[in-house]
């Protein structure tokens, strides 16, 4: 766990634990970036970021890619009560890019149940892409229950609710440079 910088704009008391530090994210993206550049050598890849959670990982991964790589964005929402995906996914913002013949790499923040990603893979594959692969910074244990082919994974983490580095609770905490477990009293109120 890293020390809290004196000029930090966040209160470490909100978190149980930092599970992935800023340095660990950076080193992992160096590693995955190298692998991705090698795997796609000579091909013009379309990185598809899933808003809003994947904004940070997309920005940091993209800066490790050659200038021929393109970026596009999708926003989706899972219907259903509570905090779990229902399997019914709605497109809030679609891609601007035609996927015909394209090599697509979906960039995700976290795979929890895997339901959203499962739907997204089916949707993008039906658009005539040459290939569709997935890079997710984080993956939780429940994700293994859905048959998903995730080529690049940063960190396998516990099922706790985490925030930071793009991940939010009620739209807050996305700006943190690290990933931390949020204290239950923060989301349960006091
Ligand atoms: P899934 O369909 O259950 O895999 O849901 C994945 C989506 O739920 C992610 O892309 C996140 O937006 C959100 N999510 C899942 N776990 C967390 C978490 O621990 N913190 C914040 N958002 C999460
Ligand atoms: Mg996401």
């Amino acid at each position: 766990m890293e020390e809290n910088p004196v000029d930090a704009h966040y209160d470490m008391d909100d978190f149980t634990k930092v599970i992935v530090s800023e340095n660990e994210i950076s080193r992992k993206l160096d590693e995955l970036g190298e692998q991705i550049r090698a795997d796609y050598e000579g091909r013009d890849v379309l990185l598809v970021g899933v808003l809003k959670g994947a904004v940070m990982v997309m920005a940091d991964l993209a800066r490790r890619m050659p200038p021929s790589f393109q970026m596009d964005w999708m926003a989706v929402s899972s219907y259903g009560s509570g905090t779990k995906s229902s399997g019914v996914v709605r497109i809030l913002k679609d891609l601007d890019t035609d996927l015909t013949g394209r090599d697509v790499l979906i960039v995700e923040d976290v795979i929890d149940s895997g339901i959203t990603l499962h739907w997204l893979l089916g949707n993008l594959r039906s658009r005539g892409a040459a290939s569709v692969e997935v890079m997710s910074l984080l993956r939780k244990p429940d994700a293994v229950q859905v048959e998903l082919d995730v080529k690049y994974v940063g960190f396998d983490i516990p099922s706790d609710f985490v925030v930071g580095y793009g991940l939010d609770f009620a739209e807050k905490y996305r700006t943190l440079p690290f990933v931390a477990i949020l204290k239950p009293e923060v989301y349960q109120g006091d």
Side-chain angles (χ1 to χ4, degrees):
M1 182 159 159
E2 287 178 335
E3 274 178 38
N4 186 11
V6 284
D7 62 347
H9 301 282
Y10 40 85
D11 181 358
M12 294 305 285
D13 288 346
D14 285 356
F15 319 119
T16 311
K17 194 181 176 212
V18 172
I19 51 166
V20 191
S21 73
E22 194 173 358
N23 280 334
E24 285 169 328
I25 293 171
S26 176
R27 282 199 300 270
K28 185 63 78 176
L29 290 179
D30 284 344
E31 202 180 289
L32 288 176
E34 195 180 335
Q35 203 182 329
I36 291 166
R37 285 197 307 274
D39 288 352
Y40 288 101
E41 207 181 344
R43 285 145 79 193
D44 298 335
V45 176
L46 179 70
L47 300 172
V48 170
V50 185
L51 295 170
K52 304 172 189 168
V55 164
M56 300 295 183
V57 61
M58 175 72 137
D60 286 339
L61 180 74
R63 275 178 283 188
R64 287 160 167 87
M65 296 300 123
S68 61
F69 276 48
Q70 296 172 20
M71 285 189 265
D72 203 347
W73 304 90
M74 252 182 116
V76 296
S77 114
S78 306
Y79 281 114
S81 54
T83 54
K84 287 281 167 193
S85 300
S86 66
V88 183
V89 180
R90 189 166 56 116
I91 296 177
L92 303 176
K93 187 232 169 280
D94 206 348
L95 298 171
D96 299 326
T97 317
D98 178 7
L99 297 190
T100 313
R102 299 300 307 264
D103 288 306
V104 175
L105 180 59
I106 298 172
V107 180
E108 262 284 25
D109 49 356
V110 59
I111 308 169
D112 185 1
S113 71
I115 289 170
T116 309
L117 189 59
H118 182 262
W119 179 89
L120 197 59
L121 273 168
N123 183 282
L124 298 191
R125 282 189 172 132
S126 74
R127 303 190 197 188
S131 69
V132 184
E133 298 291 352
V134 181
M135 184 266 158
S136 183
L137 182 74
L138 309 169
R139 179 172 62 187
K140 293 189 188 179
D142 284 350
V144 299
Q145 288 170 23
V146 183
E147 219 174 285
L148 277 179
D149 191 11
V150 182
K151 196 161 182 188
Y152 310 99
V153 178
F155 303 92
D156 278 302
I157 62 166
S159 328
D160 305 86
F161 193 80
V162 295
V163 294
Y165 198 67
L167 290 152
D168 74 308
F169 167 65
E171 294 299 325
K172 289 195 264 186
Y173 303 104
R174 292 193 198 275
T175 59
L176 301 173
F178 50 78
V179 178
I181 298 173
L182 193 62
K183 272 187 185 162
E185 46 265 47
V186 176
Y187 53 88
Q188 281 158 7
D190 49 353

